[in-house]
Amino acid sequence: AFEHINMPVAGFKSKVPTSGDVDLTLLYFPLQAKGLGPALVAEFSGFRWNGPKSMGWNMSQWAEYKAAGESPMGQLPLVEIDGIRVSQTTAIINCIARKAGTKLEGTPGDQFAVSQMLIAQSEDMYSGMQKVVATKFVPQSKKGGMEAFDHFWANVIPAQFQKLETLLGGGSDAPNAGKGMWKPAETAGELYMFATLHQMVLVNPKCLDATPRVSKFYQGLLGDARVKRVLSGASPFGEIGQYFMNPPRETERFGFAAFVAVTAVCFLARA
């Protein structure tokens, strides 16, 4: 597998299987973010695969890997498959799917096309969240505050979800390009879309309420044993924590001073 990993590396104590023992190796931080999609695709591929947990790999080792040039683009996630190291989430997902064949790539025609559209759409939706939703490392105040957060969920995402609903055959009765084109089949694009939707639902649990077909798609995969294995940390990936954070408490949302002022007014009104 990774040349530098097979060499003595400070702090690396686990025995790393050779490339003949596994079909692919995936490295990422212990977060959903850009790791959940590739982990799900690896799990659904049916391949023997290594992840951070099975390799004993952790975030503290990334600086050394990066300095050693382990990743072609100098970033994670990173996968080694068929002796080739691949960076960039969408490239990783497509390389695994290509190796797995039609069960992940989709059959030629609509299925493949929909899978590719969902990968691209997932990237757009993820990018939108990255701009306006707090993460494990960046607070909401640095993401445009609650005004940007509320605008995103009220005015940006609903239109995106409606497009997905149309692809699934729902939405308006008016003619729509691609209406009913998406017939769920566990392709790489659908797994990546699920990974994006899941991170959205963690932040806004009611975000799918207006799109029942999208919600049904999401709930269907959420109940799959392979998805549960990844989300629970039982897969070779291991721990995979929440990256996008839930809305702040009301005291944080409006500012502590405003909270005190409102509390004082309420107290005086009762007096």
Side-chain angles (χ1 to χ4, degrees), residues 26-40 59 76-77 89-90 93 122-123 125-127 129-130 134-137 191-200 202-203 230-231 237 239-245:
L26 170 67
L27 292 182
Y28 192 61
F29 309 116
L31 295 167
Q32 293 175 12
K34 288 289 189 175
L36 181 55
L40 289 172
M59 289 178 67
L76 296 179
T89 304
T90 54
I93 287 172
S122 297
E123 283 287 290
M125 290 161 58
Y126 185 96
S127 177
M129 284 191 75
Q130 188 71 268
T135 69
K136 188 176 178 66
F137 308 105
L191 295 174
Y192 194 34
M193 175 57 70
F194 169 85
T196 304
L197 292 176
H198 183 66
Q199 295 186 74
M200 289 183 157
L202 289 178
V203 175
V230 171
L231 291 177
F237 192 97
E239 178 187 355
I240 188 160
Q242 186 171 342
Y243 173 67
F244 290 106
M245 295 291 102

Side-chain angles (χ1 to χ4, degrees), residues 97-251:
R98 185 66 177 271
K99 183 177 177 68
T102 55
K103 73 175 182 178
L104 284 181
E105 265 199 318
T107 55
D110 285 4
Q111 208 174 72
F112 174 77
V114 169
S115 179
Q116 293 303 306
M117 284 195 290
L118 293 178
I119 289 174
Q121 181 65 14
S122 297
E123 283 287 290
D124 286 349
M125 290 161 58
Y126 185 96
S127 177
M129 284 191 75
Q130 188 71 268
K131 294 175 182 176
V132 300
V133 178
T135 69
K136 188 176 178 66
F137 308 105
V138 182
Q140 189 62 47
S141 60
K142 300 292 184 179
K143 296 278 189 169
M146 289 307 300
E147 181 178 356
F149 180 92
D150 291 340
H151 176 79
F152 177 75
W153 292 109
N155 302 295
V156 178
I157 280 301
Q160 302 302 315
F161 285 171
Q162 284 299 328
K163 291 181 176 66
L164 298 178
E165 188 79 358
T166 297
L167 276 179
L168 284 165
S172 171
D173 290 333
N176 289 292
K179 184 169 184 178
M181 185 177 177
W182 177 9
K183 298 173 177 60
E186 298 180 355
T187 61
E190 289 166 295
L191 295 174
Y192 194 34
M193 175 57 70
F194 169 85
T196 304
L197 292 176
H198 183 66
Q199 295 186 74
M200 289 183 157
V201 170
L202 289 178
V203 175
N204 183 355
K206 296 184 177 182
C207 66
L208 299 180
D209 285 0
T211 49
R213 293 177 188 244
V214 178
S215 180
K216 181 180 179 181
F217 160 76
Y218 169 74
Q219 292 296 335
L221 277 176
L222 186 64
D224 188 283
R226 293 161 293 183
V227 172
K228 290 181 178 179
R229 178 173 152 84
V230 171
L231 291 177
S232 70
S235 79
F237 192 97
E239 178 187 355
I240 188 160
Q242 186 171 342
Y243 173 67
F244 290 106
M245 295 291 102
N246 304 84
R249 296 187 301 275
E250 290 302 297
T251 53

Side-chain angles (χ1 to χ4, degrees), residues 14-37:
S14 67
K15 179 180 180 297
V16 181
T18 64
S19 58
D21 293 326
V22 295
D23 297 301
L24 64 93
T25 299
L26 170 67
L27 292 182
Y28 192 61
F29 309 116
L31 295 167
Q32 293 175 12
K34 288 289 189 175
L36 181 55

